[in-house]
Amino acid sequence: AQCTQMWQWSLQGFCCLAVGFGPVFEKQPVDTIYPEESLEANITMNCQAKANPPATYRWMLNDREIDIGAERKHYSLTEGNLVISNPVKSKHVGKYSCSATNMYGTIISKEASVQFGYLDPFSTDERTTVYVKEGQGAVVLCAPPPHFPAKLSFRWIFNEFPTFIQLDNRRYVCQTTGNLYISKVESSDRGNYSCIASSHSISKSVFSNYIPLQPLTERPNRKYPADLRVKFPDTTALVGQNVTLECFALGNPVPEIHWRKMEGHLPQNHDLRMSGSQLHLYNIQVKDSGIYKCEAINSKGKDYHSRSCHRIALIAAYPEWVEHITSKKKELHSNYTMSCKASGKPEPKIRWLKNGHQVSLNFVLQIDEKDVHFRNLTLDNSGMYQCIAENRHGVIYANAELQVFACPPTFEHNPIKTVMVAKTSRAVLECRPYAAPKPSFTWSQGTELLSNSTRLGGFDGSLEIRDVTQSDEGQYTCFASNILGKASTFTSLCSADSTRITLPPSDADVNAGEDAWMRCAASHDPSLDITFIWSVDGRVIDLDKDSQHYERNGNSSDELKIKKAQVKHAGVYSCTAQTTADNVTASARLIVRGPPGAPGGVRVINKTETTVTLQWSRGADNHKSISKYTIQYRDDFSKDAWSNARTSPADVEGNAEMATVVNLFPWTEYEFRVIAANILGSGDPSKPSPKERTLDAVPVVAPSEVGGGGGTGRELIITWTPVQPKYHYGPNFGYILAFKPQDQKEWKRMKVTDSESKRYIHKDPSMAPVTPFDVKIKAFNSKGEGPFSIEAVVYSGQDAPSEAPAVIEGRALSALTAIVSWKHVANVEGYKDREGRAQEVAVSGMENHTRIEGLKPNSEYNIEVRGYNSAGYGPPSKRLKVQTKKPPPDRPPKIIGTKVKGQFINIAWEAVEPLSNESKVDGYRVLFKPKGNQTSTLYTTNKRSIDIPLLADKEFVVEIRAHTEGGVGAVSQIGFPGNGFILFLFFCELIDLK
């Protein structure tokens, strides 16, 4: 074959070797949606390939080549990219692909579509008013206009832009239809609504005409059961996709939305949005397929839920490569097989291209869907190959270049190295020239041509010399030849004394935590250096990385220390003595005895209401017999803490692989693990068993703290402490209330189906006030009813007080305080004083007077008193007017002098003169305060001075205030040391001392 311009000639004869490479895509076209109203009058489809020499490009539309020159009005090329100018929908919609070509071949890109996107305006017709009763649910229709592509997102405006409706558990916008759902209409929902439809593909939004919503008043506000209105159909998803399920219900009260997966738990890769109305599943996998149930619950009496189920069917749909072709260089006249394998559902079909055309049988021995087989390769087999895997969900491409080369033998890139071996061992002299087709070989030692013998072999490239002696040393020459030429190279063979292990390591047996030693010594050729390498179970020990447990010493001999050996360090330890000529290895076993390994395969094989039978497989005993097993459990209530289980038999012997766990709670989900132990300790626990729920049973625990009472007339309020969930013992848990008047024999029963309820109100118009009832409560579930609680006596509600209190007295005590008193009335729990502006003061029913504080000075108040109990307020007393006092002066007395008189000190001050809106001063209050914990003394005087006893060697403070009927005024303060000298003098703001 002749070498064309794509090949180069070597200096030895000729050698066809590629100097460049074929095209490799860096950018390929992608699906494009062009907005019909776009201001940019062009579309760019990318196509760029790396190639040497650079590639040229062609484009196809719907499998027809685009003539760029003839259609330059609409098409142009920019570095391989196709630019469509002034695109026209009727001409330019379709599937596009590009090809990149240079002298080494052609590759075809994946196909990409061009579509024209649009979003028409909403209809201009006037939208009909939506009338709905308050408390009922409402659906406001969006009716989106024609559009492409199909995916839109929706929002709603309330009254004016940009006031958007805030979505919550009461309001929801379906992202499939755009409809607005209001579960319970309220008066605040009155207004005008506009639907916004947005297409992110073309960056456009349109607004609907306003839709009036008129809530109709309904009194009383009726209750409505949950009614699911938004629910998704069955969904088919691809592995790795994200899926969103919607569920929303109308109802009053606003329903709660709950999600669960039938026969399993919700996937970990999920979250809930929009108050639970949207369930998002991320990176969905085959195990996530199944039936998902959404449940909408509210309470209208004892009416409960409606439901919707969504089935998610999963397929590993999009093709993925399991194996694909890569670029190769192959020898002339050799055989070669290209392979492509792809996974997907349905199974992808595979087709092959060479330089953009279907692979021809003229170039191959055999072609099937997954493989292309070449026999006796020629230069014409070189080129760019593509395998394409496709199913209805997508298509993937794999590209590779095949270079077939021809070359006479050359050792330029792979010369032979000098070989050093031990005497009596085997020597291999490698001869691997670069050549195509494969060459033939001959060897010589010195000038002697070698041939096969009992000691010499190979000659297919490498020369093997068995049982080397000193006479084998010398220079060897390898001759290689093929149809294109010949070449030779030489090497030298040297021999040395063999290395021998003189002290092999010995077996060792230690307990975990103890040290162990391995020793090794060897003899070797003195002209060579020796190195010792330690390994365990074939893995070389990294003494730097594993220095915590390993250290070594020695040169011609070696010692390995295993520090504080653990069970994981047991195994076969090998010492390798190595020189440049040879190596030799000796091994010994280290046994580390320790606690047992973790048992495996823990699973439940039988269960009852309170027991499960476990089975497991024995773990490693680590050279000490297993003496016993401990079983642990955790449940939904243990907060991930493990507890030791009670078993039958109580002690689980070391030879057991099965045991029964007892004293469990019915209808409780458990996990179990098993721990083995021997005389050296307890091992690691097993992996937890799969979760198992015990069987359900009749409840045995009754509600506690049964009581109640209070409320309004004709009501019986019953309260209790709910049963903890772990005592529910089964599904559909609730309570049965039994009650009767004490003077009757017949019990009335009521059922409460909410397991978290702790209060029930029974109303009966014929019920007499304050009637004693015997009350008892028991729990029930789907299995049956449990025992009743201890009976309690609960009184029905009483009537509100009917008599108004008679106010005896009401008067002001100061500028800020008043007092009021009254006569007792019957059937009250307390009294409330109501002042002006409806301020209230609550007083126990045992009291007949109270102080009212925090009033304003010099102000008139209207005060009334009324009795109250749990049924409400009684009639008010007659109103009483109270005038508070004028406030005291806000200026403190001014201290004008101090004088020591023997054991006393005299303090004098100026009189405080009140203003017209202040109370008259009727005296002064003087507070004597020794420093420390001694008791203060209060003096009163009508004078403007006072004698205060001195304290020897003790500091004290004196405070002086004016006193009026409105209270006391601002304070003057003076301090004295133990020797009586004045320390300081200052004034304080008005305070109220009572």
CSV table of all heavy atoms in Angstrom, one decimal, residues 75 131 137 148 201 208 245 287 328 370 391 457 520 548 651 668 750 881 932 963 969:
chain,number,residue,atom,x,y,z
A,75,TYR,N,-28.9,31.3,5.4
A,75,TYR,CA,-27.9,30.5,6.1
A,75,TYR,C,-26.5,31.1,5.9
A,75,TYR,O,-26.2,31.6,4.8
A,75,TYR,CB,-27.9,29.1,5.5
A,75,TYR,CG,-29.2,28.3,5.8
A,75,TYR,CD1,-30.1,28.0,4.7
A,75,TYR,CD2,-29.5,27.8,7.1
A,75,TYR,CE1,-31.2,27.2,5.0
A,75,TYR,CE2,-30.7,27.1,7.3
A,75,TYR,CZ,-31.5,26.8,6.3
A,75,TYR,OH,-32.7,26.1,6.5
A,131,TYR,N,-69.5,33.5,42.4
A,131,TYR,CA,-70.2,33.7,43.7
A,131,TYR,C,-70.0,32.4,44.5
A,131,TYR,O,-70.2,31.3,44.0
A,131,TYR,CB,-71.7,33.9,43.5
A,131,TYR,CG,-72.0,35.2,42.7
A,131,TYR,CD1,-72.2,35.2,41.4
A,131,TYR,CD2,-72.1,36.4,43.4
A,131,TYR,CE1,-72.4,36.4,40.7
A,131,TYR,CE2,-72.4,37.6,42.8
A,131,TYR,CZ,-72.5,37.6,41.4
A,131,TYR,OH,-72.8,38.8,40.8
A,137,GLY,N,-65.6,26.0,49.5
A,137,GLY,CA,-64.5,26.1,48.7
A,137,GLY,C,-64.8,26.7,47.3
A,137,GLY,O,-65.9,26.7,46.9
A,148,PHE,N,-47.0,27.1,22.8
A,148,PHE,CA,-46.0,26.1,22.6
A,148,PHE,C,-44.7,26.7,23.1
A,148,PHE,O,-44.4,27.8,22.8
A,148,PHE,CB,-45.9,25.7,21.1
A,148,PHE,CG,-44.9,24.6,20.9
A,148,PHE,CD1,-45.3,23.3,21.0
A,148,PHE,CD2,-43.6,24.9,20.6
A,148,PHE,CE1,-44.4,22.3,20.8
A,148,PHE,CE2,-42.7,23.9,20.4
A,148,PHE,CZ,-43.0,22.6,20.5
A,201,SER,N,-39.6,29.2,28.3
A,201,SER,CA,-38.9,28.9,27.1
A,201,SER,C,-38.8,30.1,26.1
A,201,SER,O,-37.8,30.3,25.4
A,201,SER,CB,-39.6,27.8,26.3
A,201,SER,OG,-39.7,26.6,27.1
A,208,SER,N,-54.7,37.4,32.2
A,208,SER,CA,-56.1,37.3,31.9
A,208,SER,C,-56.9,38.5,32.3
A,208,SER,O,-56.4,39.3,33.1
A,208,SER,CB,-56.7,36.0,32.5
A,208,SER,OG,-56.9,36.3,33.9
A,245,LEU,N,-45.7,15.7,42.6
A,245,LEU,CA,-47.1,15.3,42.7
A,245,LEU,C,-47.9,16.4,43.4
A,245,LEU,O,-47.4,16.9,44.4
A,245,LEU,CB,-47.3,14.0,43.4
A,245,LEU,CG,-46.5,12.8,42.9
A,245,LEU,CD1,-46.7,11.5,43.8
A,245,LEU,CD2,-46.9,12.5,41.5
A,287,LYS,N,-36.4,1.8,42.9
A,287,LYS,CA,-37.1,1.4,44.2
A,287,LYS,C,-38.1,2.4,44.6
A,287,LYS,O,-38.9,2.1,45.5
A,287,LYS,CB,-36.0,1.3,45.3
A,287,LYS,CG,-35.2,2.6,45.6
A,287,LYS,CD,-34.1,2.3,46.6
A,287,LYS,CE,-33.2,3.5,46.8
A,287,LYS,NZ,-33.8,4.6,47.4
A,328,LYS,N,-8.0,4.1,18.7
A,328,LYS,CA,-7.0,3.1,18.7
A,328,LYS,C,-6.0,3.2,17.6
A,328,LYS,O,-6.4,3.7,16.5
A,328,LYS,CB,-7.6,1.7,18.7
A,328,LYS,CG,-8.4,1.3,19.9
A,328,LYS,CD,-7.6,1.1,21.2
A,328,LYS,CE,-8.4,0.7,22.3
A,328,LYS,NZ,-7.6,0.5,23.6
A,370,LYS,N,-23.7,-5.1,18.2
A,370,LYS,CA,-22.8,-4.6,19.2
A,370,LYS,C,-21.4,-4.6,18.9
A,370,LYS,O,-20.6,-3.9,19.5
A,370,LYS,CB,-23.0,-5.4,20.5
A,370,LYS,CG,-24.5,-5.3,21.1
A,370,LYS,CD,-24.6,-6.1,22.3
A,370,LYS,CE,-26.1,-6.0,22.8
A,370,LYS,NZ,-26.3,-6.9,24.0
A,391,ASN,N,-33.2,4.6,21.6
A,391,ASN,CA,-34.5,4.0,21.8
A,391,ASN,C,-35.5,5.2,21.8
A,391,ASN,O,-35.1,6.3,21.4
A,391,ASN,CB,-34.6,3.3,23.1
A,391,ASN,CG,-34.4,4.1,24.4
A,391,ASN,OD1,-34.4,5.3,24.3
A,391,ASN,ND2,-34.2,3.5,25.5
A,457,GLY,N,14.9,-20.5,25.3
A,457,GLY,CA,13.5,-20.6,24.7
A,457,GLY,C,13.0,-19.2,24.3
A,457,GLY,O,13.7,-18.2,24.6
A,520,CYS,N,13.3,-11.6,60.5
A,520,CYS,CA,13.7,-12.1,59.2
A,520,CYS,C,15.2,-11.7,59.0
A,520,CYS,O,15.6,-10.6,59.2
A,520,CYS,CB,12.8,-11.5,58.1
A,520,CYS,SG,13.1,-12.1,56.5
A,548,GLN,N,1.2,3.8,63.5
A,548,GLN,CA,0.6,3.7,64.8
A,548,GLN,C,0.6,2.2,65.3
A,548,GLN,O,0.7,2.0,66.5
A,548,GLN,CB,-0.9,4.1,64.7
A,548,GLN,CG,-1.7,4.0,66.0
A,548,GLN,CD,-3.1,4.4,65.8
A,548,GLN,OE1,-3.6,4.8,64.8
A,548,GLN,NE2,-3.9,4.2,66.9
A,651,ASP,N,-30.7,-16.2,78.7
A,651,ASP,CA,-29.3,-16.1,78.3
A,651,ASP,C,-29.2,-16.8,77.0
A,651,ASP,O,-29.5,-18.0,76.9
A,651,ASP,CB,-28.4,-16.8,79.4
A,651,ASP,CG,-28.5,-16.0,80.7
A,651,ASP,OD1,-28.5,-14.8,80.7
A,651,ASP,OD2,-28.5,-16.7,81.8
A,668,THR,N,-45.9,-1.9,67.1
A,668,THR,CA,-44.7,-1.0,67.2
A,668,THR,C,-43.7,-1.5,66.2
A,668,THR,O,-43.4,-2.7,66.2
A,668,THR,CB,-44.2,-1.0,68.6
A,668,THR,OG1,-45.2,-0.5,69.5
A,668,THR,CG2,-43.0,0.0,68.7
A,750,MET,N,-70.0,8.0,74.0
A,750,MET,CA,-69.6,8.8,72.8
A,750,MET,C,-68.2,8.3,72.4
A,750,MET,O,-67.4,8.0,73.2
A,750,MET,CB,-69.6,10.3,73.1
A,750,MET,CG,-70.9,10.9,73.6
A,750,MET,SD,-72.2,10.7,72.4
A,750,MET,CE,-71.6,11.8,71.1
A,881,LYS,N,-68.7,56.8,91.3
A,881,LYS,CA,-67.7,57.8,90.8
A,881,LYS,C,-66.7,58.0,91.9
A,881,LYS,O,-67.0,58.1,93.1
A,881,LYS,CB,-68.4,59.1,90.5
A,881,LYS,CG,-69.3,59.1,89.3
A,881,LYS,CD,-69.8,60.5,88.9
A,881,LYS,CE,-70.8,60.4,87.8
A,881,LYS,NZ,-70.1,60.0,86.6
A,932,GLY,N,-25.5,48.8,105.3
A,932,GLY,CA,-25.4,47.4,105.7
A,932,GLY,C,-26.8,46.8,105.8
A,932,GLY,O,-27.8,47.3,105.1
A,963,HIS,N,-45.1,65.0,102.6
A,963,HIS,CA,-46.2,64.1,102.6
A,963,HIS,C,-47.5,64.9,102.4
A,963,HIS,O,-47.7,65.9,103.0
A,963,HIS,CB,-46.3,63.3,103.9
A,963,HIS,CG,-47.4,62.4,104.0
A,963,HIS,ND1,-48.6,62.7,104.5
A,963,HIS,CD2,-47.5,61.1,103.6
A,963,HIS,CE1,-49.5,61.7,104.5
A,963,HIS,NE2,-48.8,60.7,103.9
A,969,GLY,N,-43.8,63.1,98.1
A,969,GLY,CA,-43.2,63.8,97.0
A,969,GLY,C,-41.8,63.4,96.7
A,969,GLY,O,-41.4,62.3,97.2
